[in-house]
């Protein structure tokens, strides 16, 4: 059994979770301890206990610990990539890439720990000096999803620790393996006991107890909009800081003047890679009339060439869906789309492979309207829709007509349209001639409207959430 990590000790539990490989349901990756409410209380108390020591650590100590973690993750990226692909189902190259990104995130925030500077500002009053600096907020709860099981815990934990906070991590129930591996590396990084704690289990039990704990000063959450909304309410009640990254219904606009192969590659990558299980996925392909038929023909040809199979098998392009519940949800949306009058041009069926797993063919709908449920609700699977529009103006209006606003993309060779789109797209991130998914680790990440709440993650913007500003007046 892989244990919980609380106050620098490994703690087993009477209840265990069996981590099943979605590519091969006969393969149990390992068993993981499930935390009780008392474990959550103990983890928060441990994090509070470590706060004095870690918040007063030197930038060099923080750099050394985070750099150690980043180096080990990078050194073990093949092995951890296999674990990730095995527990979550993204392909081995995607999984290894995600692990590398996690390592780079720790390296980046190791640097940020030593660059944590403030400002010296002359006062408007004579003889007074003003200094502005950042301090940690306290104990932070990190509640993370299954689709990026090492990158997201890393992009929350690394800045949290870099700025002197202490951490309780609650990874998704479905993917405890990568979080446990991360905790094991952290346990050898020289952090004080209790500075980083791992509690595993269900969001509705373990996550809920964590978010409600009055010792938690801030909650950073990535997951569904429903859960995000309820976490925000709980945090508002006790005035805790909160940062939410939720869904997307990201548009990729393809204009008549686009380079067809650039557009098709961006659309296929954005819509189907990682089995479409990315909040940054391109699920609405908004295509102008002059290129529509050529684009549809080319994308279908490309989708047909994609190999759906075991995430660990060489040559697999698309791994399985994460579990049966998500697979049923995806297939349900395929039915919904058909009932709404969309044309299912390709895929959308359950697939059998040598090993029993949660496989489905990537689905493409055409002749869809933006008001259809398949174009309004986040599906979180390999299902995309083409929406035909007459021109750029209509494309922009449709792109922005959504309750979400995480990423948006445009494929065009026109500087005029690219530049207009990046100003007017109502989203936190805009991609030009690139997939809407797949972001850098050193720049801000986040969205607008129903996609995000609170300040941005990653890059230097991460300091906004993980620190609180102090303004200090001195009359020497
Ligand atoms: C990416 O597209 O590289 O949960 C990152 C998600 C996002 C991360 C996407 N928070 O899908």
């Amino acid at each position: 059994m892989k244990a919980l990590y609380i106050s620098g000790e490994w703690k087993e539990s009477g209840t265990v979770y069996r981590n099943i490989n979605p590519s091969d349901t006969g393969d149990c990756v390992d068993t993981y301890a499930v935390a009780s409410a008392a474990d959550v209380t103990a983890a928060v108390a441990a994090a509070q206990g470590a706060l004095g020591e870690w918040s007063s650590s030197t930038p060099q100590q923080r750099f050394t610990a985070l750099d150690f973690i980043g180096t080990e993750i990078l050194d073990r990226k093949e092995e951890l990539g296999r674990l990730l692909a095995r527990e979550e189902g993204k392909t081995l190259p995607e999984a290894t890439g995600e692990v590398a990104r996690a390592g780079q995130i720790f390296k980046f925030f190791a640097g940020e720990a030593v660059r944590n500077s403030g400002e010296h500002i002359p006062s408007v009053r004579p003889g007074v000096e003003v200094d502005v600096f950042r301090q940690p907020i306290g104990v932070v709860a990190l509640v993370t999803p299954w689709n990026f099981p090492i990158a997201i815990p890393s992009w929350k934990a690394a800045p949290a620790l870099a700025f002197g906070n202490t951490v309780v991590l609650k990874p998704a129930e479905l993917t405890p393996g990568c979080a446990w591996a991360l905790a094991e590396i952290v346990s050898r990084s020289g952090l004080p006991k209790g500075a980083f704690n791992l509690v595993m289990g269900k969001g509705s039990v373990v996550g809920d107890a964590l978010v409600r704990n009055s010792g938690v000063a801030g909650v950073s959450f990535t997951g569904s909009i429903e859960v995000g909304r309820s976490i925000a309410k709980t945090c508002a009640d006790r005035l805790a800081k909160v940062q939410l990254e939720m869904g997307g219904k990201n548009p990729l606009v393809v204009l008549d003047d686009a380079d067809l192969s650039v557009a098709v590659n961006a659309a296929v990558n954005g819509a189907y890679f990682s089995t479409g299980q990315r909040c940054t996925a391109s699920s609405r392909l908004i295509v102008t009339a002059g290129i529509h038929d050529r684009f549809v023909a080319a994308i279908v040809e490309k989708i047909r060439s994609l190999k759906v199979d075991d995430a660990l098998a060489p040559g697999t392009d698309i791994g399985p869906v994460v579990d049966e519940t998500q697979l049923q949800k995806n297939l349900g949306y395929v039915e919904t789309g058909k009932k709404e009058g969309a044309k299912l041009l390709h895929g959308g069926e359950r697939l059998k492979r040598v090993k029993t797993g949660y496989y489905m063919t990537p689905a493409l709908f055409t002749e869809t309207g933006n008001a259809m449920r398949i174009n309004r609700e986040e599906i979180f699977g390999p299902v995309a829709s083409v929406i035909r529009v007459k021109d750029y103006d209509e494309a922009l209006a449709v792109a922005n007509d959504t309750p979400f606003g995480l990423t948006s993309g445009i494929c065009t060779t026109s500087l005029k349209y690219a530049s207009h789109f990046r100003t007017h797209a109502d989203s936190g991130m805009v991609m030009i001639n690139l997939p809407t998914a797949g972001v850098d680790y050193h720049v801000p990440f986040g969205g607008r409207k129903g996609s995000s709440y609170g300040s941005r993650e990653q890059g230097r913007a991460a300091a906004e959430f993980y620190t609180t500003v102090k303004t200090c007046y001195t009359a020497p």
Side-chain angles (χ1 to χ4, degrees):
M1 180 198 309
K2 296 282 192 280
L4 311 169
Y5 186 60
I6 299 172
S7 196
E9 309 289 335
W10 295 101
K11 184 176 178 297
E12 298 207 339
S13 154
T15 321
V16 295
Y17 175 79
R18 285 167 53 78
N19 188 2
I20 300 298
N21 176 352
S23 299
D24 174 5
T25 55
D27 174 34
C28 176
V29 177
D30 213 328
T31 54
Y32 294 83
V34 172
S36 64
D39 292 326
V40 173
T41 309
V44 175
Q48 284 182 305
L51 201 52
E53 186 180 345
W54 187 243
S55 65
S56 56
S57 59
T58 63
Q60 185 60 47
Q61 284 168 315
R62 296 181 199 172
F63 176 93
T64 304
L66 295 179
D67 189 60
F68 170 93
I69 299 165
T71 300
E72 180 156 338
I73 293 173
L74 287 169
D75 285 350
R76 292 171 54 194
K77 72 175 193 287
E78 306 294 335
E79 171 213 339
L80 294 173
R82 285 192 81 78
L83 170 67
L84 199 165
R86 197 170 155 214
E87 76 167 342
E88 196 268 352
K90 64 180 66 168
T91 65
L92 200 50
E94 288 173 333
T96 309
E98 184 188 329
V99 173
R101 176 166 162 182
Q104 284 150 348
I105 287 166
F106 273 99
K107 294 271 184 184
F108 175 82
F109 282 105
E112 286 303 280
V114 287
R115 277 190 294 267
N116 183 16
S117 59
E119 279 181 297
H120 176 78
I121 303 171
S123 169
V124 292
R125 285 174 276 165
V128 176
E129 291 177 2
V130 184
D131 289 284
V132 180
F133 51 89
R134 292 184 177 275
Q135 293 187 311
I137 63 171
V139 175
V140 293
L142 311 180
V143 182
T144 59
W146 48 260
N147 66 330
F148 283 85
I150 194 154
I152 295 181
S154 299
W155 82 49
K156 294 183 192 298
L161 294 168
F163 295 116
N165 303 280
T166 56
V167 169
V168 182
L169 169 64
K170 206 300 280 178
E173 185 192 22
L174 282 175
T175 52
C178 287
W180 189 90
L182 175 64
E184 197 282 322
I185 296 170
V186 173
S187 75
R188 291 181 281 102
S189 67
L191 290 179
K193 279 185 191 313
F196 180 96
N197 305 273
L198 174 74
V199 288
M200 297 176 281
K202 276 192 199 310
S204 56
V205 182
V206 181
D208 190 63
L210 186 55
V211 168
R212 288 183 190 285
N213 192 304
S214 60
V216 170
V219 178
S220 181
F221 166 81
T222 301
S224 72
I225 191 160
E226 297 77 23
V227 176
R229 197 175 271 129
S230 104
I231 289 179
K233 284 182 186 150
T234 306
C235 290
D237 246 8
R238 56 184 191 78
L239 304 177
K241 212 166 172 183
V242 64
Q243 173 184 61
L244 310 173
E245 289 299 341
M246 301 169 286
K249 197 68 198 171
N250 309 297
L252 178 71
V253 170
V254 179
L255 296 186
D256 285 358
D257 66 14
D259 177 319
L260 189 62
S261 68
V262 167
V264 168
N265 286 332
V268 166
N269 175 320
Y272 303 118
F273 285 11
S274 300
T275 323
Q277 299 176 147
R278 293 185 283 190
C279 57
T280 46
S282 322
S283 50
R284 295 183 299 138
L285 309 173
I286 302 168
V287 186
T288 47
I291 197 171
H292 179 276
D293 294 356
R294 278 184 297 139
F295 173 81
V296 168
I299 191 173
V300 168
E301 193 187 323
K302 180 95 183 177
I303 298 170
R304 282 192 216 285
S305 73
L306 298 174
K307 196 171 151 214
V308 180
D309 210 333
D310 186 335
L312 293 171
T316 296
D317 296 301
I318 313 272
V321 173
V322 75
D323 70 354
E324 185 66 32
T325 309
Q326 184 64 47
L327 178 61
Q328 290 306 329
K329 186 178 168 203
N330 298 347
L331 298 175
Y333 271 112
V334 170
E335 287 312 306
T336 302
K338 287 199 258 181
K339 283 201 200 96
E340 289 180 303
K343 183 170 163 197
L344 180 64
L345 201 62
H346 181 83
E349 286 157 351
R350 188 169 196 149
L351 270 181
K352 275 205 170 6
R353 288 292 176 250
V354 178
K355 292 172 184 155
T356 306
Y358 308 115
Y359 300 105
M360 74 175 277
T361 41
L364 183 73
F365 280 110
T366 54
E367 311 305 330
T368 76
N370 196 45
M372 292 178 177
R373 276 184 59 203
I374 53 167
N375 284 330
R376 304 219 64 87
E377 298 168 19
E378 183 176 53
I379 299 175
F380 222 62
V383 182
S385 306
V386 176
I387 304 171
R388 186 201 304 253
V389 290
K390 61 177 188 306
D391 55 16
Y392 169 74
D393 290 339
E394 190 186 351
L396 176 66
V398 170
N400 286 340
D401 177 10
T402 169
F404 296 103
L406 189 58
T407 62
S408 56
I410 189 166
C411 292
T412 178
T413 51
S414 152
L415 181 60
K416 178 178 123 188
Y417 289 131
S419 140
H420 189 272
F421 187 79
R422 71 178 208 171
T423 307
H424 293 95
D426 198 4
S427 60
M429 295 170 285
V430 185
M431 280 71 168
I432 296 166
N433 294 320
L434 287 165
T436 58
V439 297
D440 285 6
Y441 63 85
H442 65 310
V443 291
F445 177 97
R448 299 180 178 179
K449 299 193 272 185
S451 290
S452 302
Y453 187 77
S455 56
R456 291 282 186 267
E457 299 197 84
Q458 300 195 61
R460 293 176 63 197
E464 284 304 314
F465 181 74
Y466 292 104
T467 64
T468 177
V469 163
K470 182 169 277 177
T471 311
C472 184
Y473 294 81
T474 311

